[in-house]
Each structure stands twice: as C-alpha cells, then as structure tokens.
Amino acid sequence: AQSVTQPDIHITVSEGASLELRCNYSYGATPYLFWYVQSPGQGLQLLLKYFSGDTLVQGIKGFEAEFKRSQSSFNLRKPSVHWSDAAEYFCAVGAKEYGNKLVFGAGTILRVKS
Amino acid sequence: EAQVTQNPRYLITVTGKKLTVTCSQNMNHEYMSWYRQDPGLGLRQIYYSMNVEVTDKGDVPEGYKVSRKEKRNFPLILESPSPNQTSLYFCASSLTDREGYTFGSGTRLTVV
C-alpha cells in the first residue's frame, strides 16, 4: 500500500530565506506525486505534480519539487519565501494501479517570520 | 467558473440523525473522492469513484455511504453519525488519475 511521510510537523523560516519541505513515499511502482497547499480555513490548492519525465517540476507561486527515485523522495523547494506562503503543505502519492486513491502525508505547517 | 461545490459549509447535528453532505462538480470529471481531515492525521480518503456507478472504499469508509448516479454529483451519507465523525470533510474531483484533485471548500461537521 502507498504511504507518505512528511517528517517535519512545523517549520519556521525567515522571509526571503530559502525553503525545503521534505516528503518521502513508500510505493513499489512509479508513483504520481503531488504537493498541495492549504491556507487557514481554505480548501487545498494544487501546487505541482509529477508522473513522468523531467524529475524537476515547476509549480505555481514559485515552487518547485524534485523527484528522486533512489531516495523515494519528492521535496518541495522555494528559493525565497514570502510572508503569504505561511500555510500548511501536504504531499500526496497516487498510482495508476490504485485508480485515483490518493494518499496524503500528515502535513507540514510553515511559519514565516519577518 | 470551474469548481467543486460542497454543501453545507458548516453543520452541527446530534448522534444518530442521518445527514447528507452534497458535492457537485462542473468540470465533467471522471474521478471524485471524499476525504476527512483531522489534526495531525492529514487527509484520509473515505470513498472514491472512478465513474458513474463505480465506487470503492478508501482508508476510513466505516460509517459512511456514497453514491454516484450522475457524473457531476457525489453525495456523502452518514446514516447514523457519531461524535468520532466530527471532522472537516472535503470533496474533490479530477479528470484523470494523474492530474491531481480539485478540492471543494470543505464542510465542517460537528456531531454532539
């Protein structure tokens, strides 16, 4: 079965600093990987996705993520964080074999200090 | 506007009183899904559907029912709600299994 681990429950970064949120997944075949963001009181918004091809994917709001099969990781990065990036971030994994059964990690709460 | 619409946004109910949370999408998506979100647990899938009349259990289906009689609608039914079903519920839809879900705004359910 698929599983997703986000090791960091909370992360605090200074505005303008770089950001990396970690995501590790457990799945045997080629997964579909996603990052979502949830602002307080809001639904989830898709930031980016990976299912094949170039392992470095670009998303909205200046985010990018890199798929590393050898490490079973799909870490999210941003070179310079803005205060408006404060939110909760979720990594999710799916697979063709499981239809659209998407499994989410527990989330990482990002705080941005000025 | 392309969207997933859930109703109601907030609901307080009593134990055992049947309720339905509606979900509708206007994007002609094949896939639809229900999730519940609880602090520290992320989102857990309750049920999903890959097409009309095709539904399957997710990770936490106990106490819930769904139906998919039309492509656009995917209601979530709690026949006899209990306090442990107090949660934030999200409906979501997608065109294919690789596109990622579009989420509704959520329904905050409290069962007392």
Side-chain angles (χ1 to χ4, degrees):
Chain A
Q2 308 133 281
S3 68
V4 180
T5 301
Q6 293 180 245
D8 305 302
I9 299 173
H10 298 99
I11 281 186
T12 301
V13 299
S14 298
E15 190 168 16
S18 64
L19 170 71
E20 183 169 30
L21 302 181
R22 296 183 291 164
C23 173
N24 293 97
Y25 66 91
S26 173
Y27 188 66
T30 300
Y32 306 146
L33 295 159
F34 307 88
W35 274 100
Y36 287 84
V37 60
Q38 184 181 31
S39 298
Q42 303 294 314
L44 283 81
Q45 181 182 24
L46 180 65
L47 284 176
L48 47 76
K49 61 192 174 191
Y50 170 82
F51 55 86
S52 68
D54 192 347
T55 56
L56 183 64
V57 294
Q58 303 296 321
I60 62 171
K61 305 185 182 202
F63 285 92
E64 66 177 28
E66 186 171 12
F67 171 57
K68 293 185 177 179
R69 183 187 300 276
S70 62
Q71 298 176 20
S72 297
S73 70
F74 188 58
N75 295 349
L76 183 71
R77 301 194 295 247
K78 187 169 185 178
S80 178
V81 169
H82 187 262
W83 64 265
S84 60
D85 292 324
E88 189 163 16
Y89 292 80
F90 293 94
C91 181
V93 62
K96 185 176 181 62
E97 294 87 322
Y98 287 93
N100 219 14
K101 186 180 185 301
L102 205 59
V103 174
F104 283 77
T108 297
I109 297 172
L110 172 66
R111 299 190 178 106
V112 180
K113 58 182 181 181
S114 55
Chain B
E1 180 189 353
Q3 59 185 357
V4 177
T5 303
Q6 297 177 229
N7 281 296
R9 289 293 308 276
Y10 302 91
L11 179 59
I12 301 175
T13 190
V14 297
T15 299
K17 184 177 181 181
K18 181 180 179 179
L19 67 91
T20 299
V21 183
T22 64
C23 174
S24 180
Q25 51 94 3
N26 61 1
M27 296 168 281
N28 202 36
H29 284 171
E30 301 284 336
Y31 296 88
M32 297 188 75
S33 188
W34 276 102
Y35 286 86
R36 61 178 288 174
Q37 183 179 20
D38 302 289
L41 297 178
L43 284 89
R44 294 177 293 167
Q45 195 170 42
I46 303 170
Y47 270 94
Y48 63 103
S49 170
M50 289 185 277
N51 213 327
V52 174
E53 302 291 3
V54 180
T55 63
D56 207 349
K57 296 177 181 178
D59 295 316
V60 288
E62 295 77 20
Y64 305 94
K65 286 174 57 177
V66 294
S67 69
R68 187 95 182 270
K69 293 184 171 59
E70 312 161 274
K71 184 181 270 193
R72 63 182 292 126
N73 295 323
F74 191 45
L76 179 70
I77 303 155
L78 285 72
E79 295 270 3
S80 182
S82 63
N84 65 11
Q85 293 178 297
T86 293
S87 187
L88 178 59
Y89 291 86
F90 287 102
C91 181
S93 72
S94 70
L95 185 61
T96 72
D97 54 0
R98 299 186 297 182
E99 293 302 309
Y101 277 119
T102 299
F103 281 82
S105 298
T107 295
R108 186 166 292 282
L109 172 65
T110 302
V111 184
V112 298

mmCIF file of all heavy atoms in Angstrom, chain A residues 88-104:
data_model
loop_
_atom_site.group_PDB
_atom_site.id
_atom_site.type_symbol
_atom_site.label_atom_id
_atom_site.label_comp_id
_atom_site.label_asym_id
_atom_site.label_seq_id
_atom_site.Cartn_x
_atom_site.Cartn_y
_atom_site.Cartn_z
ATOM 1 N N GLU A 88 -0.269 25.406 5.450
ATOM 2 C CA GLU A 88 0.067 24.007 5.661
ATOM 3 C C GLU A 88 0.239 23.344 4.300
ATOM 4 O O GLU A 88 -0.544 23.569 3.383
ATOM 5 C CB GLU A 88 -1.012 23.284 6.472
ATOM 6 C CG GLU A 88 -0.602 21.895 6.909
ATOM 7 C CD GLU A 88 -1.447 21.320 8.038
ATOM 8 O OE1 GLU A 88 -2.545 21.855 8.297
ATOM 9 O OE2 GLU A 88 -1.024 20.314 8.658
ATOM 10 N N TYR A 89 1.257 22.526 4.189
ATOM 11 C CA TYR A 89 1.617 21.902 2.926
ATOM 12 C C TYR A 89 1.498 20.392 3.045
ATOM 13 O O TYR A 89 1.982 19.789 4.024
ATOM 14 C CB TYR A 89 3.041 22.296 2.526
ATOM 15 C CG TYR A 89 3.157 23.756 2.173
ATOM 16 C CD1 TYR A 89 3.247 24.724 3.170
ATOM 17 C CD2 TYR A 89 3.137 24.177 0.843
ATOM 18 C CE1 TYR A 89 3.328 26.072 2.853
ATOM 19 C CE2 TYR A 89 3.210 25.515 0.523
ATOM 20 C CZ TYR A 89 3.303 26.458 1.533
ATOM 21 O OH TYR A 89 3.363 27.797 1.209
ATOM 22 N N PHE A 90 0.880 19.807 2.034
ATOM 23 C CA PHE A 90 0.656 18.370 2.031
ATOM 24 C C PHE A 90 1.279 17.742 0.786
ATOM 25 O O PHE A 90 1.061 18.210 -0.332
ATOM 26 C CB PHE A 90 -0.846 18.053 2.032
ATOM 27 C CG PHE A 90 -1.555 18.449 3.287
ATOM 28 C CD1 PHE A 90 -2.193 19.674 3.378
ATOM 29 C CD2 PHE A 90 -1.593 17.587 4.370
ATOM 30 C CE1 PHE A 90 -2.861 20.041 4.540
ATOM 31 C CE2 PHE A 90 -2.258 17.937 5.535
ATOM 32 C CZ PHE A 90 -2.886 19.170 5.611
ATOM 33 N N CYS A 91 1.993 16.668 1.006
ATOM 34 C CA CYS A 91 2.485 15.829 -0.066
ATOM 35 C C CYS A 91 1.505 14.667 -0.240
ATOM 36 O O CYS A 91 0.916 14.188 0.752
ATOM 37 C CB CYS A 91 3.878 15.309 0.307
ATOM 38 S SG CYS A 91 4.675 14.268 -0.913
ATOM 39 N N ALA A 92 1.291 14.226 -1.476
ATOM 40 C CA ALA A 92 0.360 13.133 -1.727
ATOM 41 C C ALA A 92 0.913 12.224 -2.823
ATOM 42 O O ALA A 92 1.630 12.682 -3.719
ATOM 43 C CB ALA A 92 -1.014 13.673 -2.136
ATOM 44 N N VAL A 93 0.564 10.941 -2.737
ATOM 45 C CA VAL A 93 1.024 9.968 -3.732
ATOM 46 C C VAL A 93 -0.145 9.150 -4.244
ATOM 47 O O VAL A 93 -1.037 8.775 -3.485
ATOM 48 C CB VAL A 93 2.132 9.067 -3.136
ATOM 49 C CG1 VAL A 93 1.611 8.268 -1.945
ATOM 50 C CG2 VAL A 93 2.661 8.111 -4.195
ATOM 51 N N GLY A 94 -0.134 8.900 -5.525
ATOM 52 C CA GLY A 94 -1.108 8.033 -6.166
ATOM 53 C C GLY A 94 -0.400 7.110 -7.120
ATOM 54 O O GLY A 94 0.822 7.185 -7.277
ATOM 55 N N ALA A 95 -1.171 6.246 -7.764
ATOM 56 C CA ALA A 95 -0.585 5.331 -8.736
ATOM 57 C C ALA A 95 -1.681 4.809 -9.645
ATOM 58 O O ALA A 95 -2.826 4.656 -9.211
ATOM 59 C CB ALA A 95 0.123 4.174 -8.046
ATOM 60 N N LYS A 96 -1.299 4.506 -10.875
ATOM 61 C CA LYS A 96 -2.282 4.002 -11.842
ATOM 62 C C LYS A 96 -2.962 2.739 -11.322
ATOM 63 O O LYS A 96 -4.146 2.546 -11.492
ATOM 64 C CB LYS A 96 -1.587 3.717 -13.167
ATOM 65 C CG LYS A 96 -2.536 3.308 -14.276
ATOM 66 C CD LYS A 96 -1.786 3.145 -15.577
ATOM 67 C CE LYS A 96 -2.732 2.757 -16.692
ATOM 68 N NZ LYS A 96 -3.734 3.810 -16.923
ATOM 69 N N GLU A 97 -2.177 1.895 -10.660
ATOM 70 C CA GLU A 97 -2.720 0.626 -10.161
ATOM 71 C C GLU A 97 -3.806 0.838 -9.120
ATOM 72 O O GLU A 97 -4.607 -0.060 -8.860
ATOM 73 C CB GLU A 97 -1.595 -0.216 -9.536
ATOM 74 C CG GLU A 97 -0.556 -0.679 -10.540
ATOM 75 C CD GLU A 97 0.548 0.340 -10.735
ATOM 76 O OE1 GLU A 97 0.285 1.557 -10.747
ATOM 77 O OE2 GLU A 97 1.695 -0.102 -10.885
ATOM 78 N N TYR A 98 -3.822 1.992 -8.478
ATOM 79 C CA TYR A 98 -4.797 2.248 -7.435
ATOM 80 C C TYR A 98 -5.897 3.205 -7.898
ATOM 81 O O TYR A 98 -6.606 3.784 -7.069
ATOM 82 C CB TYR A 98 -4.100 2.825 -6.201
ATOM 83 C CG TYR A 98 -3.295 1.787 -5.442
ATOM 84 C CD1 TYR A 98 -1.938 1.614 -5.705
ATOM 85 C CD2 TYR A 98 -3.886 0.978 -4.484
ATOM 86 C CE1 TYR A 98 -1.199 0.670 -5.025
ATOM 87 C CE2 TYR A 98 -3.147 0.021 -3.793
ATOM 88 C CZ TYR A 98 -1.814 -0.118 -4.068
ATOM 89 O OH TYR A 98 -1.075 -1.065 -3.396
ATOM 90 N N GLY A 99 -6.062 3.397 -9.191
ATOM 91 C CA GLY A 99 -7.076 4.310 -9.689
ATOM 92 C C GLY A 99 -6.775 5.704 -9.204
ATOM 93 O O GLY A 99 -5.678 6.200 -9.381
ATOM 94 N N ASN A 100 -7.735 6.342 -8.548
ATOM 95 C CA ASN A 100 -7.461 7.673 -8.049
ATOM 96 C C ASN A 100 -7.456 7.691 -6.532
ATOM 97 O O ASN A 100 -7.890 8.644 -5.911
ATOM 98 C CB ASN A 100 -8.480 8.662 -8.590
ATOM 99 C CG ASN A 100 -7.818 9.976 -8.936
ATOM 100 O OD1 ASN A 100 -6.604 10.069 -9.009
ATOM 101 N ND2 ASN A 100 -8.600 10.997 -9.136
ATOM 102 N N LYS A 101 -6.929 6.635 -5.934
ATOM 103 C CA LYS A 101 -6.815 6.564 -4.495
ATOM 104 C C LYS A 101 -5.545 7.305 -4.098
ATOM 105 O O LYS A 101 -4.454 6.764 -4.155
ATOM 106 C CB LYS A 101 -6.763 5.115 -4.032
ATOM 107 C CG LYS A 101 -6.800 4.943 -2.527
ATOM 108 C CD LYS A 101 -6.738 3.473 -2.158
ATOM 109 C CE LYS A 101 -6.900 3.271 -0.655
ATOM 110 N NZ LYS A 101 -5.862 3.963 0.128
ATOM 111 N N LEU A 102 -5.696 8.554 -3.729
ATOM 112 C CA LEU A 102 -4.573 9.416 -3.388
ATOM 113 C C LEU A 102 -4.355 9.379 -1.884
ATOM 114 O O LEU A 102 -5.289 9.584 -1.111
ATOM 115 C CB LEU A 102 -4.902 10.826 -3.845
ATOM 116 C CG LEU A 102 -3.777 11.792 -4.154
ATOM 117 C CD1 LEU A 102 -2.897 11.238 -5.250
ATOM 118 C CD2 LEU A 102 -4.347 13.130 -4.583
ATOM 119 N N VAL A 103 -3.092 9.130 -1.483
ATOM 120 C CA VAL A 103 -2.756 9.070 -0.066
ATOM 121 C C VAL A 103 -1.964 10.321 0.300
ATOM 122 O O VAL A 103 -1.002 10.670 -0.388
ATOM 123 C CB VAL A 103 -1.941 7.802 0.247
ATOM 124 C CG1 VAL A 103 -1.477 7.811 1.696
ATOM 125 C CG2 VAL A 103 -2.769 6.564 -0.035
ATOM 126 N N PHE A 104 -2.352 10.976 1.389
ATOM 127 C CA PHE A 104 -1.723 12.219 1.821
ATOM 128 C C PHE A 104 -0.813 11.999 3.024
ATOM 129 O O PHE A 104 -1.072 11.140 3.877
ATOM 130 C CB PHE A 104 -2.784 13.238 2.208
ATOM 131 C CG PHE A 104 -3.454 13.906 1.043
ATOM 132 C CD1 PHE A 104 -4.430 13.248 0.315
ATOM 133 C CD2 PHE A 104 -3.099 15.192 0.659
ATOM 134 C CE1 PHE A 104 -5.041 13.856 -0.770
ATOM 135 C CE2 PHE A 104 -3.704 15.814 -0.414
ATOM 136 C CZ PHE A 104 -4.682 15.148 -1.135
#
